[in-house]
Amino acid sequence: MIVASALRDRYDVAVVGAGPAGLAAAALCARAGLACALFDDQPNPGGQIYRGVTNSPFDRGTVLGGDYWSGESLVCAALGSGAHYFSGASVWGLLRENEIAVSLGGSTRQIRATRIILATGAIERPFPIQGWTLPGVMTAGAAQILLKSSALVPTGRVLLAGCGPLLWLLAWQYLNAGVRLHTILDTAPAANWRRALRHAAAFVASPYMAKGLRLMFDVRREVRVVPGVVEIAGEGGGRIGAVVYRTARGRSERLAADMLLLHQGVVPNVNLAMSANIAHRWSEGQLCWVPRVDSYGSTTVPHITVAGDGAGIAGAEAAEARGRLAAIATIRALKEEFPVGELERAARQSLDRYQRGRAFLDCLYQPAPNFRRPRGDTLVCRCEEVTARQVLETAALGCPGPNQMKAFLRCGMGACQGRFCGLTVTELMAEARGLPCAEIGYYRLRPPVKPITLAEIASLPVDGAAVKAVARE
Amino acid sequence: MFQRLTRERQLSLTIFIDGTATPARHGDTVAAAMLGSGYVACRTTAVSGAPRGPYCLMGVCFDCLVKIDGDANRQACMTTVQDGMRIETQRGKREYST
């Protein structure tokens, strides 16, 4: 096990997150001769997209698809680059004076890095429907993680519901693995097509188009797909037992279910960046918060750069290119003599290629308002079990935003620190108050951005000045 | 429920879930090993006592909290199984013990 004492006190660059952006950034920084630490809270490198690629239960085959295996060379390049890779390392705070608080192996350390590259990636967008907290209901991403890292597939009556590329990819991978899916409840609103078509020309030139069409064609041939689903509720006692849905045309049905896998896109994992006081903006296109960055990922905090999906969703290949661009900006600042001109041209070319047509996907798979802004006793906050009605009532009482509401309801104060309720709360309060989301704002996030134990804090090495600061005469 | 596409012989480790010996694959997370052996729920909540199971499997949702080798509120999806590991499902909030 990697322990905290293996950490140096100081690095030139610290990269947080070992998905495509972090791996690419760390590899390039190390190649330029910078002392680079790569922190990742997962047990193995690859991020979620290349999860388990170095210790996969599968032989290279057709189940996961060729794109997945391309992650292997990226991981190898980073691990062989000279960057110090720390798995199971949870970065819980970016503090004053370039300090990074990181927990690993049960203890915590504060180290320094001249520059920091955040590559914290994406998390699933909340999908607040009745019954989404029942055992047996999971995100599609979760189901895919089980497939990639443990070759686990669901059995019984399996339902997929939602919209977005990952939903179709997972269904396709299940077909390859011989899993029988019962039904896919497609929630992509028909009206989205009209808006998406404006961006169709760009999407036709995207490498994703042919792949996407192929996936959907294969899946639709084998699985029952119900289009235009506008309402979904999970039912059950100790676990999911049935799913009730209604379509825009008014048809409704109750299906027995053993598993319900939900997905309506992914959003940037912004907790660490926000806690470091990096300015964020509300993206109307992607309906989420994104850090304000320039074309290298440089933020409003001079020594911190954000790369990959954490700076706005664009996919794995784009993340890799954005990781390189963040590294290039870092190398220019710290190691001027290292030539990066050619590398930058290549990274920008790749980024252009993979970002082409992204607006088409953003429009087509934008989740419908009723799946983003629930009503009644549907849980908004899974941790503190706060309902949509409670949030709306608090807004009606005159609560201006999420932080004041939180003080009334504890919504967002649980262990997930708002990651699965924050966007819902912003959108609900914006609707209730008739204001744009940008004006409603978000939870004020502070370190630690992951729960840590007192024992971990107590393990911090203490110097004389720290003792003097709190000791009584 | 979940089943494994891999062969039985790959399940070389044994963990104990609420005292029951359960096979696991080297490299599994605790959450994967539990789901692979039919444990869909892993705790009841501290607020209402509602049952919960793993939801995101990537360390975000904190719904897969279990007691691992005597240490409560650990994320099952972020902990890799070790041979002989003792897992306990949780009921309500954790109790303080010295």
Side-chain angles (χ1 to χ4, degrees):
Chain A
M1 185 198 268
I2 301 170
V3 290
S5 56
L7 284 165
R8 289 193 205 164
D9 291 333
R10 173 138 218 150
Y11 290 89
D12 295 324
V13 195
V15 179
V16 184
L23 289 166
L28 186 48
C29 287
R31 220 176 91 198
L34 298 173
C36 176
L38 172 59
F39 298 114
D40 191 54
D41 60 1
Q42 299 293 334
N44 293 291
Q48 302 310 331
I49 192 86
Y50 303 128
R51 175 121 182 177
V53 76
T54 52
N55 61 339
S56 175
F58 291 102
D59 299 326
R60 269 173 184 277
T62 52
V63 171
L64 298 174
D67 288 349
Y68 171 74
W69 295 104
S70 69
E72 210 173 6
S73 58
L74 194 59
V75 170
C76 289
L79 297 187
S81 68
H84 290 200
Y85 164 63
F86 295 92
S87 66
S90 185
V91 173
W92 56 262
L94 303 176
L95 314 172
R96 69 211 146 97
E97 307 287 316
N98 304 50
E99 266 179 11
I100 300 167
V102 55
S103 269
L104 66 165
S107 53
T108 208
R109 288 288 183 282
Q110 277 170 235
I111 61 147
R112 280 169 202 268
T114 310
R115 304 278 295 221
I116 298 168
I117 298 174
L118 299 183
T120 51
I123 59 178
E124 290 260 354
R125 176 188 292 281
F127 203 139
I129 54 169
Q130 285 282 337
W132 72 310
T133 55
L134 285 169
V137 181
M138 281 185 195
T139 66
Q144 199 194 36
I145 285 166
L146 291 170
L147 178 69
K148 287 174 182 170
S149 51
S150 291
L152 283 167
V153 294
T155 57
R157 289 167 66 103
V158 184
L159 270 64
L160 265 64
C163 58
L166 177 61
L167 197 78
W168 295 99
L169 175 60
L170 178 68
W172 183 79
Q173 289 172 330
Y174 277 161
L175 288 185
N176 295 338
V179 176
R180 296 179 68 91
L181 294 171
H182 189 280
T183 304
I184 297 175
L185 303 177
D186 185 352
T187 63
N192 282 5
W193 271 104
R194 235 189 355 260
R195 293 190 304 123
L197 281 176
R198 280 186 311 199
H199 307 285
F203 188 65
V204 167
S206 159
Y208 291 123
M209 191 185 87
K211 285 178 195 170
L213 286 176
R214 175 73 204 279
L215 290 187
M216 292 175 73
F217 179 76
D218 286 354
V219 172
R220 284 174 186 280
R221 209 171 42 187
E222 301 283 334
V223 187
R224 177 187 176 221
V225 178
V226 179
V229 172
V230 293
E231 263 178 46
I232 303 172
E235 295 178 350
R239 56 180 294 180
I240 186 88
V243 173
V244 181
Y245 73 85
R246 193 173 63 80
T247 67
R249 292 185 170 174
R251 203 183 79 182
S252 88
E253 193 182 10
R254 185 173 187 278
L255 297 169
D258 298 304
M259 290 286 314
L260 172 61
L261 304 175
L262 299 173
H263 178 76
Q264 53 177 352
V266 295
V267 293
N269 180 8
V270 292
N271 282 46
L272 189 58
M274 279 197 176
S275 78
N277 293 320
I278 289 167
H280 284 63
R281 65 179 177 84
W282 177 261
S283 162
E284 278 300 334
Q286 298 194 334
L287 298 173
C288 59
W289 300 102
V290 293
R292 290 186 185 278
V293 291
D294 68 9
S295 73
Y296 293 94
S298 304
T299 68
T300 53
V301 175
H303 69 288
I304 306 179
T305 308
V306 184
D309 274 359
I313 304 303
E317 290 85 356
E320 196 180 320
R322 290 151 97 196
R324 295 217 169 87
L325 290 168
I328 285 161
T330 305
I331 292 164
R332 282 221 177 94
L334 302 182
K335 196 114 183 174
E336 235 179 315
E337 66 277 20
F338 188 83
V340 289
E342 196 47 52
L343 291 167
E344 177 167 354
R345 259 188 300 281
R348 293 213 179 275
Q349 202 173 16
S350 171
L351 185 59
D352 282 349
R353 178 169 142 81
Y354 283 102
Q355 274 187 329
R356 210 171 287 153
R358 171 55 51 177
F360 177 85
L361 291 175
D362 288 345
C363 286
L364 186 62
Y365 291 126
Q366 183 169 97
N370 57 313
F371 288 121
R372 308 193 318 262
R373 300 193 292 260
R375 291 287 185 263
D377 56 0
T378 298
L379 287 182
V380 168
C381 171
R382 299 172 62 95
C383 300
E384 296 294 330
E385 300 183 48
V386 178
T387 65
R389 180 183 297 115
Q390 287 175 285
V391 173
L392 289 169
E393 280 170 2
T394 316
L397 283 175
C399 246
N403 293 298
Q404 297 75 13
M405 181 280 304
K406 184 168 82 171
F408 283 91
L409 298 176
R410 291 194 54 82
C411 186
M413 290 174 80
C416 96
Q417 304 188 338
R419 288 173 176 90
F420 267 117
C421 68
L423 289 174
T424 314
V425 164
T426 293
E427 287 213 63
L428 273 178
M429 296 195 84
E431 184 188 28
R433 300 200 54 223
L435 291 170
C437 290
E439 234 169 283
I440 292 295
Y442 196 67
Y443 296 132
R444 192 165 298 116
L445 299 169
R446 300 184 182 84
V449 297
K450 283 288 179 78
I452 52 168
T453 63
L454 284 174
E456 282 171 278
I457 294 180
S459 72
L460 271 172
V462 179
D463 61 13
V467 174
K468 207 174 166 196
V470 294
R472 283 192 197 183
E473 289 303 320
Chain B
M1 293 287 228
F2 282 86
Q3 70 177 31
R4 290 184 193 262
L5 297 176
T6 49
R7 282 182 280 278
E8 287 290 318
R9 64 181 164 78
Q10 289 200 1
L11 305 179
S12 55
L13 308 181
T14 302
I15 59 170
F16 297 88
I17 303 174
D18 290 333
T20 305
T22 307
R25 176 184 170 267
H26 182 79
D28 273 350
T29 60
V30 170
M34 291 180 80
L35 289 163
S37 296
Y39 292 83
V40 180
C42 62
R43 68 179 183 114
T44 59
T45 63
V47 177
S48 73
R52 290 283 172 91
Y55 179 72
C56 80
L57 268 304
M58 54 185 277
V60 178
C61 76
F62 289 81
D63 263 323
C64 65
L65 300 179
V66 290
K67 199 176 201 178
I68 299 177
D69 289 334
D71 203 2
N73 280 350
R74 298 272 304 274
Q75 287 178 284
C77 76
M78 298 292 281
T79 311
T80 308
V81 289
Q82 308 286 336
D83 200 33
M85 204 174 233
R86 293 189 176 273
I87 317 297
E88 290 167 67
T89 53
Q90 294 192 168
R91 296 203 171 276
K93 59 180 181 286
R94 75 180 274 197
E95 278 165 21
Y96 176 73
S97 59
T98 49

